[in-house]
């Protein structure tokens, strides 16, 4: 099988470092060999290829831009390109790695004690300990500050009560990073999923992100030890700081989904004749391709500069909101257009664009909906908050 040929209309490849290209190409090959052949079946059957997790660990794809504790210490842009390639395969695969690295390893790395870092990070980097991130609740999604989950201090540690919903990796996780209010302040806890009073149940009937487990976490007098609390952060900036890391990866990931859909549509219209000539020879079809090429190129450039700002230490969460918002929106448009260009074939799992189209509905919603990022940017430029 020949390697996937990425659209690179503006020679952006030349702006990446050798390390960034290598990271991307390694994942590209993994995706071609190990994900593409079976992803349609996983999506169809609603299963996640968990057997690949040790391989992700071996290749350094779990928490790749974190340093020390068995993490690979790559550049943020390399991390972004890893997400891009994984999402070219499937958003569910990229989600697994985003949750593990940005939402579970990052808070331990940034807010944890030395003991917590040594205890969890090497195993998480290797993929032997799987994490999930519990912020959203049934009645508090866009407004996590309203969360009802509570922690109470006891003689032995903490008692957690509450429900988290829509939690990626919930039922396969060994630990959950749970955000709960302790004396009215949001705090993070590392909760072993075999703790007394903790249960995780998969949410059934999803038509999006089917190759990923999404669960509900229920904590009923869930007992955890004193050293389970993340000591170095309190307040909503704890979970929101993790979201900034994950949204960065999603902005890159969305380009992977766009690339996959564009590539499939391009090949399809070149090969398929209607009215006695290939679809690619019709002006309306070419216009769709030209729009896709334009939006993919703009998103690639946006991501590159976002990565360079992060590397320089000047990236702000609002910069990430702009890229997440734009790229998920454009990926949604491109996936829908590609699906249309494939006609009836586009609605089957034998082709990829329909699966991406369905997945992107989740990407558009999670990690801050399109509207929430609109309001973040609006707040930034006007100085007026319109959230409530
Ligand atoms: P606000 O008063 O604005 O901020 C509270 C504190 O947080 C700080 N902050 C941030 N810090 C880091 N990164 C960010 N993006 C931040 N945004 C805000 C802020 O400076 C402040 O700090 P301090 O020290 O002054 O206290 O908070 P708010 O309550 O008004 O909320 C703002 C809003 C609506 C933007 C925020 O709540 C939000 O982003 N809502 C969206 C919720 C969301 O994205 N949920 C995602 C759940 S996880 C998920 O979806 C995983 S999917 C994973 C996968 O499968 O890939
Ligand atoms: P709501 O907040 O109820 O929003 C519904 C609609 O109202 C949206 O269109 C929204 O934009 C709009 N809206 C909300 N507030 C405003 C406003 N102020 N002004 C204008 N419009 C507004 N969460 C986790 O914690 N961990 C996970 O691992 C995780 N994984 C997920 C996986 C999947 C597959 C999905 C679908 C979600 C996942 N989530 C996870 C949850 C996700 O982050 C939330 O769904 C998201 O934050 C939106 O919350 P909500 O679904 O409650 O929608």
């Amino acid at each position: 099988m020949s390697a996937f040929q990425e659209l690179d209309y503006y020679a952006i490849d030349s702006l990446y470092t050798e390390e960034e290209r290598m990271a991307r190409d390694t994942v590209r090959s993994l995706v071609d060999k190990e994900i593409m052949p079976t992803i349609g079946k996983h999506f169809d059957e609603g299963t996640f290829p968990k057997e690949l997790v040790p391989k992700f660990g071996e290749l350094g794809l779990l928490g790749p831009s974190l340093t020390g504790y068995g993490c690979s210490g790559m550049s943020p842009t390399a991390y972004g390109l890893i997400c891009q390639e994984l999402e070219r395969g499937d958003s569910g695969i990229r989600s697994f790695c985003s949750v593990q690295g940005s939402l579970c390893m990052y808070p331990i790395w940034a807010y944890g004690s030395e003991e917590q870092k040594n205890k969890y990070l090497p195993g998480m980097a290797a993929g032997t300990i799987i994490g999930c991130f519990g912020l959203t609740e049934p009645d508090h999604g866009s407004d996590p500050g309203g969360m009802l989950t509570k922690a109470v201090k006891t003689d032995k540690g903490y008692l957690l009560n509450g429900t988290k919903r829509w939690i990626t990796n919930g039922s396969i996780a060994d630990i959950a990073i749970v955000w709960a209010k302790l004396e009215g302040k949001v705090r993070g806890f590392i909760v072993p999923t075999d703790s007394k009073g903790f249960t995780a149940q998969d949410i059934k009937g999803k038509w999006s992100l089917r190759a990923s487990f999404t669960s509900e976490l229920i904590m009923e007098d869930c007992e955890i030890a004193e050293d389970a609390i993340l000591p170095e952060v309190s307040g909503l900036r704890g979970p929101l700081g993790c979201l900034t890391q994950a949204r960065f990866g999603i902005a890159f990931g969305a380009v992977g989904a766009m690339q996959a859909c564009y590539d499939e549509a391009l090949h399809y219209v070149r090969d398929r004749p209607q009215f006695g000539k290939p679809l690619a020879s019709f002006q309306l079809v070419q216009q769709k391709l030209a729009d896709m090429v334009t939006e993919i190129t703009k998103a690639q450039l946006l991501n590159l500069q976002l990565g360079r700002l992060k590397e320089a230490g000047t990236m702000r969460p609002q910069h990430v909101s702009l890229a997440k918002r734009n790229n998920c929106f454009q990926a949604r448009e491109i996936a829908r257009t590609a699906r249309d260009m494939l006609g009836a074939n586009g609605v089957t799992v034998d082709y990829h664009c329909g699966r991406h189209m369905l997945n992107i509905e989740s990407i558009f919603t999670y990690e801050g909906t399109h509207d929430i990022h609109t309001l973040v940017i609006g707040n930034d430029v006007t100085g007026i908050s319109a959230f409530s």
Side-chain angles (χ1 to χ4, degrees), residues 133 135-136 141-142 166-168 209 362 365-366 369 371 375 387:
F133 178 88
L135 178 64
T136 306
S142 296
W166 304 109
I167 308 305
T168 302
L209 278 196
S362 287
T365 287
Y366 73 28
T369 66
D371 297 330
L375 299 178
F387 294 111

Side-chain angles (χ1 to χ4, degrees), residues 94-95 136 142 144 168 236-237 240 243-244 247 317 366-368:
R94 197 270 308 135
S95 275
T136 306
S142 296
T168 302
L236 206 52
R237 69 183 180 88
L240 293 180
L243 295 181
T244 292
R247 291 166 177 171
Y366 73 28
E367 297 268 5

Side-chain angles (χ1 to χ4, degrees), residues 12-236:
I12 296 163
D13 190 71
S14 63
L15 302 174
Y16 301 133
T17 65
E18 191 55 37
E19 181 214 44
E20 289 160 357
R21 277 195 288 270
M22 260 177 59
R24 180 199 59 195
D25 293 346
T26 302
V27 183
R28 182 167 295 174
S29 158
L30 172 84
V31 168
D32 286 342
K33 288 193 192 115
E34 312 249 15
I35 292 173
M36 297 319 291
T38 56
I39 192 63
K41 189 165 182 285
H42 280 294
F43 186 90
D44 205 22
E45 294 175 358
T47 51
F48 169 73
K50 198 180 166 200
E51 65 283 0
L52 289 177
V53 174
K55 187 92 190 208
F56 296 157
E58 242 171 70
L59 294 176
L61 311 185
L62 305 174
S65 60
L66 302 179
T67 50
Y69 310 97
C71 305
S72 351
M74 293 186 221
S75 74
T77 304
Y79 167 53
L81 293 173
I82 289 170
C83 289
Q84 179 181 305
E85 285 306 314
L86 290 172
E87 194 140 3
R88 177 176 66 82
D90 190 81
S91 305
I93 309 291
R94 197 270 308 135
S95 275
F96 176 88
C97 293
S98 290
V99 168
Q100 178 81 353
S102 292
L103 296 183
C104 297
M105 293 170 70
Y106 176 81
I108 296 174
W109 183 86
Y111 315 137
S113 66
E114 209 45 44
E115 290 72 34
Q116 290 169 333
K117 291 178 201 188
N118 283 314
K119 181 172 176 187
Y120 294 111
L121 291 178
M124 295 180 85
T128 53
I129 302 174
I130 295 178
C132 69
F133 178 88
L135 178 64
T136 306
E137 299 187 351
D139 296 325
H140 296 279
S142 296
D143 67 336
M147 70 175 66
L148 299 175
T149 301
K150 274 202 173 69
V152 175
K153 184 80 187 77
T154 64
D155 291 345
K156 292 189 231 148
Y158 299 93
L159 217 50
L160 295 177
N161 277 288
T163 302
K164 299 289 175 181
R165 193 163 164 80
W166 304 109
I167 308 305
T168 302
N169 299 346
S171 62
I172 56 167
D174 302 292
I175 57 165
I177 304 292
V178 172
W179 299 94
K181 282 186 180 160
L182 176 68
E183 294 170 358
K185 265 264 179 217
V186 174
R187 299 298 302 256
F189 298 88
I190 307 172
V191 181
T193 55
D194 60 3
S195 301
K196 193 168 163 238
F198 182 99
T199 47
Q201 276 170 0
D202 281 333
I203 296 171
K204 299 289 181 198
K206 266 188 311 152
W207 47 254
S208 176
L209 278 196
R210 286 186 52 74
S212 166
F213 294 118
T214 314
S215 321
E216 184 163 78
L217 312 182
I218 300 165
M219 288 153 288
E220 286 173 322
D221 287 337
C222 172
E223 293 178 26
I224 49 169
E226 193 144 30
D227 61 3
I229 193 163
L230 292 169
E232 302 297 335
V233 77
S234 89
L236 206 52

